[in-house]
Amino acid sequence: MSTEAPARPHAPDIETAALDTPRERSVGTPVRRVDGPMKVTGTAPYAYEHDVENPCYLWPVTAPIAKGRIVRIDTNRANAVPGVLHVLTHDNSPRLKVKTDAALWIMQGPEIAHFGQIVGGVVAETPEAAREAAELVEVICEQEDAKVEFDPHDPDVESPRLVLMRRGTETKGDLDQGWREAVHRVDAHYANPAHFHAQMEPHAVIAIWHDTETRDPRATRLTLFDTNQGPIIHRTLLPPLLGLLPNQVEIISPYVGGGFGGKAFPHPHIALAAMAAKVVRPRPVKLALTRQQMFMNVGHRPEASQHIRLGATADGQLTAVEHFSTQAASRLKRNIDQACWATRMMYATPNRHTQHRAVNLDLPPETWMRAPGDFNGMFALESAMDELAHQVGIDPLELRVRNEPEVDPENGKPWSTRALVPCLRRGAELFGWHQRQDVGGRHDGEWQIGLGLASTCFPNQHITSLFARVTYTGGKYVVQMQASDIGTGAHTVLRQIAADALEVPVDHVETDIGRTGTPMAIMAGGSQGTYEWGNAVVAACEKLRRKHGDNPPDGASARAQGRPPRGASKYSRHAFGAQFAEVAVSSVTSEVRVRRLLGVYAAGTIINPLTARSQMIGGMTMAMSAALFEESYRDPRFGHVVNGDLAGYHIAAHADVAELEVEFLPEHDEWFGANGAKGIGEMAMVGTPAAIANAIFNATGIRLRHTPFTPSALIEAAR
């Protein structure tokens, strides 16, 4: 049985949206996604769907308490179920080697760190038998006192020194002096519940542990067909955990049904699948998590509270900005969202203090979720700016213009580009901002109508420079790298970038991505993929042309490293935009309906207007879903999410989404790289909740500072 991915995976021929319009360049052209036909016809293999011989099936057994230890696991009834091959527990599971990640260190002892932690697994001939047997496993526990409820005023709150390698706390000027000088003051708390991922493709993996007689350290021992955002972190954490070398683990993920940060890291179910596959080797083991299981073990956006203080002069010039971000954090493995980062650089002020804080709880580990930190931090900042504009008595757009900084307020660096004000003004023109009336001044029958806006931004997330290879074979140029197309169109835009660098038609380029065995690349995350990958692809294409000219021989190849432009670190590099919202609030039921959303963005060169627009539409929809609907309830006794499925945890459906519009301002940012492109998808998340909240205030005079904006929240706030 071969599990190797083809060197050149088949995909339909590429075509443009306007085939009758000749174009000299591919970048900037609305090219249709090359994987689209395969996905809509069901022929694109996702992680669980790869064709493997004689698979068996795995079902996790999870902890029924929030904290404690296992006294005994009774597997007798489970073993009696027809078709059961093996029941894994901490007593008989393979031993892990290196604790590279605390969440992956499963079934190595009786300790329980959170509800839903994987404490066992059943391998069977069918998924039905595995599930039935898993439900018959009896886990007898000794329960300890657990702390699962988040309180931002917890006396044990901690302040991490670093947040993603930047200072967790920073101060500029004299905050107390700026507060005393202020004529207008806003002092408010904003909050969000824990949010949970609901990707179209659930977390799934096929694990195959190979029997091999060779002692060659280059031989593959473990193959994983996994849904992830790129192999780089998996290839770092999993091999030492399993006692393997990095090149002994093969990871294949050509198509991914959504990531949004939740598939950037390996989660415990992958370790479980690898352990189970080792027990039944060489048979493949298939595991797909249910929606309920995804609320337990694959991360979430943590519950958080933001305390914002703004001080300003009589005409709205900021004199002081203070932002404390406090979030729930897993005691097992902590991940701190960068909620204060945007506050440090959005607006000019002589005095500022920002600080990240964490309350350690006995909960499953949190993880990245689209625009982590910036999403809830900017909801607070942009809502507070709207409150300040109302106090000062000026247009919210004008308040932002008056506080526009000439350089980055955090570090004093000049901007690579910053077109926030043009985005605000263009958005106001397109949206009909001049029609905005005073608070509570516009009605349509029972509906109160309001308009709101918010700024949005997302930073350059450069971590390290990695590689790409371009090979000319069979009349095609094949781009190879460990990039991942998580539904964003990477298969398409990488071909466009390479076509222009090679000066060939785009249908002369193919992509081989989403697997190990190709040059190491950064993951699809942090809105960095396109410009980071693009820099490497351009470098490899230029190297190939230098070596072989425009008519390379078959088999000609070049590998190169992509780097930011020389001197880029001297600039503050961000993408900027403006969000506008029109809402209708029922005076009878207090229901909120978003009638219109508009996003205007300055995000460098737009490689593909079709896929870019889809990214922004998706981001605004996801943010609107969190703003209006998404709320989780945790049982304080056991620590589980009571509404942990898509029946109780509502996400936006088609009927919830009305008119969405996107416009990109022409921009080229040379300091981001070869194509002048910036990150986009996460930026659409950042300003949307605040724009909706500000529109609700304009409609009703009710200020909502806690998402979601439900009828009950409006009724309670109106009391």
Side-chain angles (χ1 to χ4, degrees):
M1 177 183 62
S2 173
T3 60
E4 293 185 2
R8 293 170 56 193
H10 171 75
D13 291 337
I14 201 164
E15 58 179 336
T16 63
L19 296 176
D20 58 342
T21 305
R23 296 179 183 271
E24 294 182 0
R25 285 178 55 82
S26 178
V27 168
T29 302
V31 175
R32 296 187 183 128
R33 285 175 47 166
V34 298
D35 54 342
M38 296 181 71
K39 287 183 173 179
V40 299
T41 57
T43 55
Y46 290 90
Y48 196 78
E49 299 171 331
H50 286 273
D51 186 18
V52 293
E53 295 178 11
N54 194 27
C56 48
Y57 299 87
L58 175 63
W59 197 272
V61 176
T62 57
I65 63 172
K67 186 179 181 181
R69 49 189 294 114
I70 299 169
V71 176
R72 182 171 58 89
I73 297 183
D74 187 342
T75 63
N76 290 328
R77 290 195 298 162
N79 279 311
V81 174
V84 167
L85 301 174
H86 193 81
V87 180
L88 284 163
T89 72
H90 69 275
D91 291 324
N92 65 4
S93 67
R95 297 296 93 185
L96 300 175
K97 304 301 182 183
V98 180
K99 199 173 186 177
T100 54
D101 184 301
L104 300 178
W105 194 257
I106 59 171
M107 298 190 306
Q108 301 302 291
E111 294 79 14
I112 293 174
H114 62 82
F115 181 93
Q117 179 179 332
I118 293 176
V119 297
V122 176
V123 187
E125 295 287 356
T126 66
E128 295 82 4
R131 180 170 190 167
E132 179 185 353
E135 292 173 353
L136 293 174
V137 174
E138 186 177 2
V139 183
I140 299 95
C141 302
E142 183 180 90
Q143 190 166 351
E144 300 175 12
D145 291 339
K147 186 176 179 180
V148 299
E149 292 186 282
F150 172 65
D151 177 3
H153 305 294
D154 192 303
D156 295 327
V157 66
E158 297 179 0
S159 297
R161 187 175 66 87
L162 294 175
V163 175
L164 288 181
M165 304 309 296
R166 290 175 58 179
R167 291 174 296 170
T169 301
E170 61 87 47
T171 301
K172 172 187 176 183
D174 186 336
L175 187 77
D176 292 337
Q177 178 65 26
W179 189 251
R180 288 193 296 270
E181 292 174 356
V183 176
H184 299 284
R185 298 183 179 94
V186 172
D187 186 339
H189 293 263
Y190 306 85
N192 64 273
H195 294 147
F196 290 84
H197 283 285
Q199 300 96 336
M200 288 287 286
E201 179 193 17
H203 287 258
V205 62
I206 303 175
I208 309 171
W209 202 282
H210 306 282
D211 278 327
T212 176
E213 296 180 0
T214 178
R215 295 190 178 185
D216 185 352
R218 296 169 297 179
T220 298
R221 301 298 203 275
L222 176 66
T223 294
L224 296 172
F225 295 96
D226 178 49
T227 174
N228 61 57
Q229 294 178 220
I232 184 170
I233 298 181
H234 293 59
R235 199 165 183 254
T236 301
L237 298 178
L238 292 175
L241 179 82
L242 300 169
L244 299 173
L245 298 173
N247 57 9
Q248 291 178 323
V249 178
E250 178 187 36
I251 300 171
I252 301 171
S253 185
Y255 301 100
V256 179
F260 311 105
K263 296 178 181 176
F265 295 89
H267 295 292
H269 70 281
I270 299 179
L272 175 65
M275 296 160 76
K278 191 170 189 178
V279 171
V280 299
R281 64 181 183 273
R283 291 187 66 178
V285 170
K286 284 191 169 190
L287 169 61
L289 296 185
T290 66
R291 293 295 174 183
Q292 292 88 345
Q293 290 166 346
M294 285 174 58
F295 278 78
M296 300 179 188
N297 272 295
V298 294
H300 58 277
R301 191 193 307 279
E303 185 176 359
S305 171
Q306 317 294 325
H307 182 196
I308 295 275
R309 291 202 304 163
L310 302 180
T313 62
D315 63 355
Q317 295 284 342
L318 288 168
T319 61
V321 174
E322 185 176 47
H323 184 177
F324 289 98
S325 173
T326 309
Q327 70 164 72
S330 171
R331 208 183 303 275
L332 178 65
K333 172 191 170 185
R334 192 166 74 177
N335 176 69
I336 306 299
D337 282 347
Q338 63 271 21
C340 294
W341 281 13
T343 301
R344 298 174 181 177
M345 46 68 62
M346 275 306 293
Y347 302 113
T349 180
N351 309 293
R352 182 185 64 247
H353 177 77
T354 62
Q355 185 175 13
H356 296 86
R357 296 172 168 178
V359 177
N360 294 324
L361 300 173
D362 301 304
L363 296 178
E366 57 281 357
T367 194
W368 294 341
M369 189 170 185
R370 207 173 195 181
D374 299 275
F375 175 74
N376 35 7
M378 279 286 279
F379 163 59
L381 177 63
E382 291 302 297
S383 296
M385 287 291 285
D386 197 76
E387 296 197 44
L388 180 61
H390 184 69
Q391 273 197 39
V392 176
I394 62 174
D395 190 295
L397 190 156
E398 177 60 27
L399 178 69
R400 288 160 172 82
V401 173
R402 291 184 188 183
N403 290 281
E404 175 71 0
E406 295 182 0
V407 297
D408 188 323
E410 181 181 9
N411 53 37
K413 294 180 180 180
W415 306 105
S416 60
T417 61
R418 178 176 165 121
L420 173 61
V421 172
C423 286
L424 287 164
R425 288 179 170 156
R426 176 59 175 162
E429 176 187 354
L430 292 173
F431 203 66
W433 185 250
H434 65 280
Q435 298 175 4
R436 181 175 181 265
Q437 299 184 18
D438 292 337
V439 173
R442 184 178 166 194
H443 296 80
D444 181 5
E446 72 174 78
W447 299 95
Q448 299 167 280
I449 312 300
L451 303 184
L453 65 78
S455 301
T456 186
C457 69
F458 203 76
N460 170 273
Q461 296 277 55
H462 176 72
I463 299 174
T464 187
S465 297
L466 294 173
F467 302 88
R469 180 189 297 115
V470 178
T471 302
Y472 183 74
T473 177
K476 299 278 189 177
Y477 293 90
V478 181
V479 174
Q480 291 184 305
M481 61 193 317
Q482 288 181 25
S484 179
D485 192 332
I486 57 176
T488 51
H491 278 292
T492 308
V493 298
L494 290 178
R495 298 184 190 200
Q496 294 178 261
I497 292 169
D500 282 358
L502 294 165
E503 297 185 5
V504 299
V506 69
D507 59 1
H508 287 200
V509 182
E510 293 183 354
T511 44
D512 176 12
I513 62 176
R515 67 179 182 92
T516 53
T518 57
M520 188 173 292
I522 203 68
M523 65 183 167
S527 293
Q528 63 186 318
T530 297
Y531 61 80
E532 294 283 15
W533 300 333
N535 288 340
V537 169
V538 169
C541 290
E542 291 176 346
K543 185 175 180 179
L544 182 70
R545 295 185 72 188
R546 286 195 304 270
K547 290 172 62 178
H548 300 287
D550 293 335
N551 296 292
D554 194 78
S557 183
R559 178 179 181 271
Q561 186 175 22
R563 294 183 176 90
R566 188 183 300 272
S569 62
K570 297 178 181 178
Y571 292 86
S572 180
R573 294 174 291 162
H574 302 258
F576 293 95
Q579 302 286 167
F580 292 79
E582 177 184 315
V583 305
V585 182
S586 171
S587 58
V588 177
T589 66
S590 294
E591 177 192 357
V592 178
R593 293 183 182 176
V594 175
R595 288 187 169 184
R596 292 190 293 149
L597 284 177
L598 166 69
V600 178
Y601 308 103
T605 300
I606 302 303
I607 304 296
N608 186 324
L610 276 180
T611 58
R613 182 179 184 276
S614 294
Q615 279 288 287
M616 309 319 275
I617 290 294
M620 287 192 289
T621 301
M622 190 171 174
M624 185 196 75
S625 179
L628 294 186
F629 308 120
E630 296 181 35
E631 188 166 23
S632 54
Y633 303 91
R634 200 175 291 278
D635 189 318
R637 301 167 300 169
F638 305 110
H640 69 288
V641 178
V642 178
N643 58 326
D645 55 40
L646 296 188
Y649 183 86
H650 180 63
I651 60 173
H654 286 289
D656 299 312
V657 182
E659 180 181 330
L660 303 176
E661 291 298 332
V662 172
E663 180 166 301
F664 292 102
L665 298 188
E667 186 180 66
H668 177 90
D669 193 330
E670 62 179 311
W671 298 110
F672 267 74
N675 294 286
K678 298 182 178 183
I680 55 172
E682 291 175 279
M683 182 169 53
M685 291 283 295
V686 173
T688 300
I692 294 172
N694 296 338
I696 291 171
F697 176 78
N698 179 244
T700 65
I702 299 172
R703 179 66 65 180
L704 296 181
R705 301 186 180 96
H706 191 301
T707 60
F709 311 138
T710 59
S712 60
L714 272 161
I715 292 170
E716 184 175 342
R719 289 174 179 168

